Amino acid sequence: MAEQLEVKELDQVVVRFSGDSGDGMQLAGNIFSTVSATVGNGISTFPDYPADIRAPQGSLTGVSGFQVHIGSGKVYTPGDKCDVLVAMNAAALKTQYRYAKPGATIIIDTDPFGPKDLEKAQFKTADYLGEMGIDPDRVIQCPLTTMVKSALADSGMDMKAMMKCRNMFALGLVCWLFDRDLSLVANFLREKFAKKPAIAEANIKVIQAGFDYGHNTHSSTVNVYRVESKHKEPGRYMDITGNKATAYGFIAAAEKAGLKLYLGSYPITPATDVLHELSKHKSCGVITVQCEDEISGCASALGASFAGALGVTSTSGPGICLKSEAMNLAVIMELPLVVLDVQRGGPATGLPTKSEQTDLLQVLFGRNGESPMPVMAATSPTDCFDAAYQASKIALEHMTPVVLLTDAFVANGSGAFKLPDINKLDPINPPYVPEELKGKWTPYMRAENGTRYWAVPGREGFTHILGGLEKDSNTGAISTNPENHDLMTRLRQQKIANIQVPDLEVDGDVADADLLIVGFGSTYGHLRAAMDELRAAGHKVAQAHFKYLNPLPANTAEVLSRYKKVVVAEQNMGQLAAYLRMKVDHFTPYQFNQVKGQPFVVEELVDYFKTLM
């Protein structure tokens, strides 16, 4: 009779998959996170991969990682360090062990740990575990490559195809370790490889082999863990990345407004997935064009807006530099345009696959002339849907370009996303020129809130011309009159100032906090986790996080002046802090700034915040 496994229940756990860029760690991590979201766990993921197209096999610089944090309730970060580390080769163990907690379970494929592999990974001895100070009792040492070959011996697959299944054996082991239902994994693979059923079945067979290996070989020495779902709101959930959620938000906004969606884009890491995703949805009225450069991507989207569509362009920081002239054209023409900036490490090419928040001042001020533009920042992968929707709503209802900031962390990371009911989303009502103005309308006539009326070309009686030269506010003709230019500048500024955005919310010890933690965009989860940890230790702490950056929430000054000490934490050298000092009188915050290309580490945040109190 088989020995009964002991199953321990946990509130949360962090797993990190690591191996060569070609080892499929992103796919293995995605499947595990998807299955976890399906059973109702809260999830947060962090893909961490090199910029090399394909580094030499087994090299230290070519290691790709994928970290997933699953919890019984809501989780805010991918976790500082992992409870389980999967290392597919010697280089992965060498570079990724620093992300493992003391006492973490390590799963390794012993086959690629030969003398040449160890030398390439810069190990000095054959005792690689001892050299790194790893207790062998914590390590599941599996001849994974050999086991995969054995499992697929009668499949008819060549060696190269077999080796592509190694990640699935590791996934099977992890599924055993966390008592996952393999039928959910099988369903995922059959759907993903629907056009290649033989590939799907081969991968499913390997996953089962990994699961069985764990069960049969380690059932008496390693505990199996379960993370149960608690307090989950009923609904249909999916594991969604920030880029995919952003794409869906744009689709939903266009559908709600009754418009075509046009994306003009030029491929750039880490924003390209938005172009890939939207190109799949022509049935939803989506038009995508991969343009010859960043400038034409933005200019063509502006042309689509002039023609009556929801125009969107997507890029990262270097592309914003190139798009700035066309963005300014959208300002003076007062046309709706959403500019998605998926921030990455800079300057120049910088760190293409890493994350920063260093474009804030560029999108606020990086254009010639007085060119006010609403700016928003998504706070999590799942919030990217709402942020894209709301950015589109502001652009369409206020006839203005809007910048939506995400970054590599939230764009590539994922979370458990509850599919929304489009009927419950906020209405979007563009300010179309009223029919009664036919024959009297000029291009810069405005509604009561200061927004320019929108006349879609082809509408009889509303023929007009827009352009980059300043126009007369009454006639729409080109004007160099100084008083008119001053007036138009103020009208464009006031139009943005009139946009109503939600108040800045404060969480935690709202009434009596000794420290207010302030941030914007993608750092929300890490700052929230730090606040929760400090409060659990008895400290009085609150958090205020900005999603709307221009215009700022109306209560910004009141909130920031309410607390004795305020710290602004951001992944740049202090751009938000500087902006808030400009906007709020007598505001002198403490600052926590890191520019490492990696997410904040909650432990480091907690330690620093303690010194302030």
Side-chain angles (χ1 to χ4, degrees):
M1 183 176 178
E3 184 175 348
Q4 182 66 38
L5 282 175
E6 180 181 359
V7 179
K8 289 191 173 183
E9 188 167 322
L10 301 176
D11 286 330
Q12 56 185 337
V13 72
V14 179
V15 182
R16 189 176 183 94
F17 297 84
S18 62
D20 271 329
S21 290
D23 283 342
M25 295 296 94
Q26 310 298 319
L27 177 59
N30 271 319
I31 294 174
F32 186 68
S33 59
T34 296
V35 170
S36 300
T38 301
V39 299
N41 291 143
I43 65 167
S44 177
T45 72
F46 174 51
D48 188 13
Y49 50 91
D52 310 51
I53 294 175
R54 183 63 63 85
Q57 188 173 13
S59 65
L60 294 174
T61 59
V63 175
S64 176
F66 188 101
Q67 187 158 302
V68 55
H69 182 184
I70 62 175
S72 57
K74 187 173 179 61
V75 294
Y76 295 101
T77 77
D80 288 354
K81 294 194 173 183
C82 63
D83 302 280
V84 176
L85 172 64
V86 177
M88 299 294 283
N89 59 23
L93 182 65
K94 185 69 173 284
T95 60
Q96 305 298 297
Y97 182 64
R98 61 180 173 148
Y99 298 113
K101 295 177 182 177
T105 298
I106 316 293
I107 298 172
I108 65 172
D109 178 3
T110 55
D111 287 328
F113 274 80
K116 290 185 178 180
D117 303 301
L118 295 174
E119 181 183 354
K120 197 178 292 186
Q122 299 180 12
F123 281 102
K124 297 177 182 178
T125 68
D127 180 18
Y128 49 88
L129 294 180
E131 193 173 320
M132 296 189 69
I134 300 174
D135 181 358
D137 290 339
R138 296 192 286 110
V139 183
I140 299 177
Q141 302 185 63
C142 169
L144 193 150
T145 301
T146 301
M147 299 292 289
V148 170
K149 291 177 184 178
S150 177
L152 298 176
D154 59 352
S155 67
M157 299 171 67
D158 60 33
M159 187 59 64
K160 185 177 180 180
M162 287 185 188
M163 290 303 94
K164 288 183 177 180
C165 298
R166 292 172 63 243
N167 58 336
M168 294 297 103
F169 193 98
L171 178 60
L173 262 173
V174 173
C175 285
W176 161 75
L177 196 59
F178 292 98
D179 198 31
R180 286 294 184 233
D181 182 355
L182 291 192
S183 66
L184 297 174
V185 182
N187 291 340
F188 178 96
L189 287 169
R190 289 188 177 113
E191 183 176 338
K192 179 175 180 60
F193 296 105
K195 296 181 180 179
K196 298 179 180 178
I199 298 295
E201 296 309 317
N203 279 288
I204 292 168
K205 186 175 183 180
V206 172
I207 288 173
Q208 186 66 57
F211 188 96
D212 292 343
Y213 178 85
H215 177 77
N216 297 331
T217 310
H218 298 277
S219 60
S220 61
T221 59
V222 178
N223 290 318
V224 171
Y225 301 98
R226 181 180 293 129
V227 182
E228 294 286 4
S229 173
K230 299 175 182 176
H231 314 301
K232 200 70 175 180
E233 184 180 345
R236 186 181 177 189
Y237 287 81
M238 66 181 293
D239 173 26
I240 196 169
T241 65
N243 272 339
K244 181 177 282 192
T246 301
Y248 287 0
F250 289 142
I251 294 172
E255 177 73 19
K256 195 73 172 181
L259 300 175
K260 295 279 189 180
L261 170 63
Y262 174 93
L263 176 76
S265 185
Y266 181 76
I268 183 171
T269 302
T272 309
D273 285 341
V274 176
L275 171 61
H276 291 167
E277 183 61 37
L278 287 176
S279 68
K280 302 174 185 177
H281 298 287
K282 295 180 178 64
S283 62
C284 297
V286 178
I287 303 166
T288 56
V289 177
Q290 180 176 319
C291 298
E292 64 267 28
D293 55 37
E294 295 281 6
I295 300 170
S296 59
C298 190
S300 67
L302 187 57
S305 291
F306 178 75
L310 169 56
V312 178
T313 187
S314 57
T315 189
S316 190
I320 293 291
C321 298
L322 295 166
K323 292 181 190 292
S324 60
E325 185 176 6
M327 292 166 65
N328 244 11
L329 185 58
V331 171
I332 200 166
M333 292 170 71
E334 298 191 54
L335 282 170
L337 173 71
V338 182
V339 181
L340 171 65
D341 178 3
V342 187
Q343 300 168 97
R344 72 187 204 185
T349 307
L351 303 171
T353 63
K354 307 303 180 184
S355 188
E356 288 180 3
Q357 294 184 301
T358 44
D359 294 350
L360 176 59
L361 294 183
Q362 178 180 212
V363 298
L364 285 169
F365 305 116
R367 295 169 297 279
N368 69 295
E370 293 290 338
S371 52
M373 194 176 295
V375 176
M376 295 178 59
T379 59
S380 71
T382 54
D383 181 60
C384 286
F385 176 89
D386 180 70
Y389 187 90
Q390 294 299 330
S392 302
K393 177 178 170 69
I394 290 172
L396 290 168
E397 292 189 340
H398 296 273
M399 298 294 287
T400 178
V402 178
V403 177
L404 171 58
L405 293 173
T406 65
D407 55 43
F409 171 63
V410 294
N412 294 322
S414 66
F417 177 61
K418 182 185 177 186
L419 272 63
D421 181 350
I422 195 169
N423 295 316
K424 296 180 180 179
L425 297 176
D426 291 342
I428 298 178
N429 300 305
Y432 295 116
V433 58
E435 187 64 25
E436 56 266 26
L437 290 180
K438 185 176 180 179
K440 298 177 287 185
W441 176 79
T442 58
Y444 287 95
M445 289 182 70
R446 300 177 184 275
E448 290 184 6
N449 66 352
T451 298
R452 185 183 78 84
Y453 285 121
W454 194 10
V456 176
R459 190 172 167 190
E460 186 179 352
F462 295 93
T463 303
H464 64 287
I465 297 174
L466 300 177
L469 291 170
E470 186 66 280
K471 304 296 191 300
D472 185 275
S473 64
N474 293 318
T475 67
I478 294 172
S479 172
T480 58
N481 181 283
E483 300 304 325
N484 177 76
H485 178 56
D486 185 82
L487 173 63
M488 291 294 279
T489 299
R490 294 177 187 279
L491 288 172
R492 288 188 289 263
Q493 178 65 53
Q494 190 59 45
K495 180 180 73 169
I496 305 305
N498 288 344
I499 297 171
Q500 299 295 310
V501 302
D503 276 349
L504 183 64
E505 295 183 359
V506 181
D507 296 317
D509 296 302
V510 177
D512 57 351
D514 296 319
L515 179 68
L516 176 69
I517 301 169
V518 173
F520 79 97
S522 65
T523 57
Y524 169 77
H526 293 82
L527 298 180
R528 173 61 186 264
M531 179 192 74
D532 289 346
E533 189 170 324
L534 287 165
R535 294 184 69 213
H539 297 283
K540 293 288 187 179
V541 187
Q543 180 190 14
H545 206 78
F546 286 94
K547 179 174 179 177
Y548 295 88
L549 293 153
N550 189 38
L552 287 167
N555 67 334
T556 295
E558 184 274 323
V559 168
L560 296 182
S561 62
R562 190 192 310 165
Y563 298 93
K564 292 180 292 185
K565 292 183 179 180
V566 180
V567 58
V568 180
E570 46 189 323
Q571 291 182 306
N572 55 47
M573 296 301 289
Q575 296 185 23
L576 176 62
Y579 178 55
L580 291 175
R581 283 196 297 270
M582 185 178 80
K583 292 290 187 178
V584 179
D585 292 339
H586 312 299
F587 181 58
T588 55
Y590 295 92
Q591 292 181 214
F592 182 91
N593 302 109
Q594 284 186 351
V595 196
K596 297 182 176 181
Q598 296 286 329
F600 282 146
V601 175
V602 174
E603 183 180 5
E604 294 176 359
L605 291 169
V606 169
D607 289 344
Y608 177 73
F609 295 159
K610 282 181 179 178
T611 67
L612 301 181
M613 296 186 291

